[in-house]
Amino acid sequence: MPDVLVLVDHDGERVNKTTYELLAAARRLGDPAAVVVGPPGTAARLRESLARYGATSVHAAEFAQAADFLVTPAVDALELAVSETSPAAVLVPATTDGREVAARLAARLDAGLLIDAVDLDSSGVVTQIVFGGSYTVRSQVTHGTPVITVRPGAFEPEELPGGAAEWTLVPPAVDPTTSARITDRRTVLAGDRPGLTEAAVVVSGGRGVGGAHGFEVVEELADAFGGAVGASRAAVDAGYYPHQFQVGQTGKSVSPQLYVALGISGAIQHLAGMQTSKTIVAVNKDPEAPILDLADYGVVGDLFAVTPQLTQEVAARRAVG
């Protein structure tokens, strides 16, 4: 079977869940081949977990300054891997960096690019959410090697015990004169909750929470579920919650098992980032709120009356087991 290149999303020590999802998607087209970009030693630390989730080979593009450049090392590594393996496709996570990597790679390869895939079949036909979530379409690349970004949460990771991955070194070829260099970093406090794109449960608050203090009920419910906290653009723009937690077209796209929307009206910008969630629960005092049309379960009522009861019930049931 042909290789399917998968760009590994990692923090240097741990493979992010989105990569395991990509490996599961890649198996529909061929043999998953993981591409790891990072400082020396990174691929060795990640190799075992990548093999456990289905990677049949690992392409290691390692050099000391790998973390000092924006996306260019990943683009270079993927371009070289494509030239050496002639893969059936290249899969990249639909993150902020991933979208830029995919676009640059497709331009270099003169190849077709498909964005925000939520499904993929064995013939290479991709299901996409387009036009801000207004339509679902099926598309296929007809020119060059398909480059596809996959929405986090669209596929379930599949652990395959006993797997082994072959090792291939990809020589780095970053040109510092034509690459954007990172000159400063600022630490963002993430807390103990799971990341938005990796959480099985996401609880989001909107303008209806009334202010930053209103997000306490959102956080309490998220903690009861062991999930992540999200926010609508309206809430973020109003200063209720930090920008890195925004869910929507201009924020993060999520597809958790459960998405709970508290005080979110359901603007198309927000729906574009969460409508592929497996189960959607909405609490809103406006019976005409668009979010209720999308929700699997809707509660018309005051979120400050409803949410604490829900939090208490979830906590009680989890305590029982």
Side-chain angles (χ1 to χ4, degrees):
M1 295 180 71
D3 281 349
V4 180
L5 297 179
V6 170
L7 179 62
V8 176
D9 186 15
H10 64 88
D11 62 7
E13 300 291 337
R14 181 183 66 91
V15 177
N16 292 332
K17 179 173 174 281
T18 51
T19 298
Y20 298 142
E21 296 167 4
L22 292 184
L23 292 172
R27 281 198 295 277
R28 299 189 180 185
L29 297 176
D31 295 324
V35 178
V36 178
V37 181
T42 303
R45 290 191 292 272
L46 308 181
R47 183 181 181 183
E48 182 180 346
S49 60
L50 290 170
R52 192 167 66 250
Y53 280 88
T56 57
S57 60
V58 174
H59 298 267
E62 299 181 335
F63 64 107
Q65 294 80 34
D68 294 341
F69 296 94
L70 285 173
V71 306
T72 310
V75 180
D76 292 340
L78 288 171
E79 182 183 20
L80 184 57
V82 168
S83 68
E84 293 181 345
T85 63
S86 299
V90 179
L91 303 186
V92 180
T95 59
T96 301
D97 286 347
R99 291 187 182 101
E100 184 171 355
V101 168
R104 288 174 178 246
L105 179 65
R108 288 193 190 183
L109 299 176
D110 186 27
L113 172 65
L114 296 176
I115 298 293
D116 236 11
V118 295
D119 200 4
L120 172 67
D121 68 22
S122 59
S123 64
V125 175
V126 167
T127 301
Q128 296 169 273
I129 305 297
V130 300
F131 295 119
S134 301
Y135 297 95
T136 300
V137 299
R138 287 166 58 81
S139 311
Q140 187 170 23
V141 170
T142 58
H143 177 73
T145 301
V147 180
I148 304 168
T149 70
V150 180
R151 177 175 290 201
F155 292 85
E156 285 295 321
E158 299 174 19
E159 189 170 357
L160 304 173
E166 297 179 355
W167 184 280
T168 303
L169 291 177
V170 179
V174 174
D175 183 355
T177 64
T178 60
S179 303
R181 183 184 290 271
I182 299 172
T183 59
D184 187 30
R185 284 185 169 88
R186 299 180 182 179
T187 302
V188 176
L189 297 178
D192 297 328
R193 300 186 183 98
L196 271 174
T197 58
E198 298 195 0
V201 178
V202 174
V203 181
S204 288
R207 190 185 295 274
V209 302
H213 64 281
F215 262 85
E216 292 178 4
V217 298
V218 180
E219 293 176 334
E220 289 170 358
L221 180 57
D223 291 341
F225 276 118
V229 174
S232 69
R233 178 173 178 174
V236 169
D237 287 348
Y240 297 174
Y241 220 65
H243 179 268
Q244 68 262 30
F245 298 99
Q246 181 183 331
V247 173
Q249 190 172 13
T250 55
K252 290 184 171 66
S253 295
V254 298
S255 295
Q257 295 296 316
L258 173 63
Y259 188 88
V260 183
L262 303 176
I264 296 176
S265 63
I268 190 64
Q269 196 280 144
H270 185 76
L271 300 185
M274 46 68 69
Q275 65 181 6
T276 55
S277 302
K278 307 307 183 289
T279 301
I280 300 172
V281 176
V283 180
N284 201 293
K285 65 181 180 181
D286 179 8
E288 302 299 324
I291 190 72
L292 294 174
D293 294 330
L294 179 67
D296 297 288
Y297 302 95
V299 178
V300 177
D302 182 355
L303 70 90
F304 293 104
V306 174
T307 308
Q309 297 179 59
L310 178 57
T311 300
Q312 184 178 5
E313 185 65 23
V314 171
R317 296 198 177 197
R318 292 194 71 186
V320 171

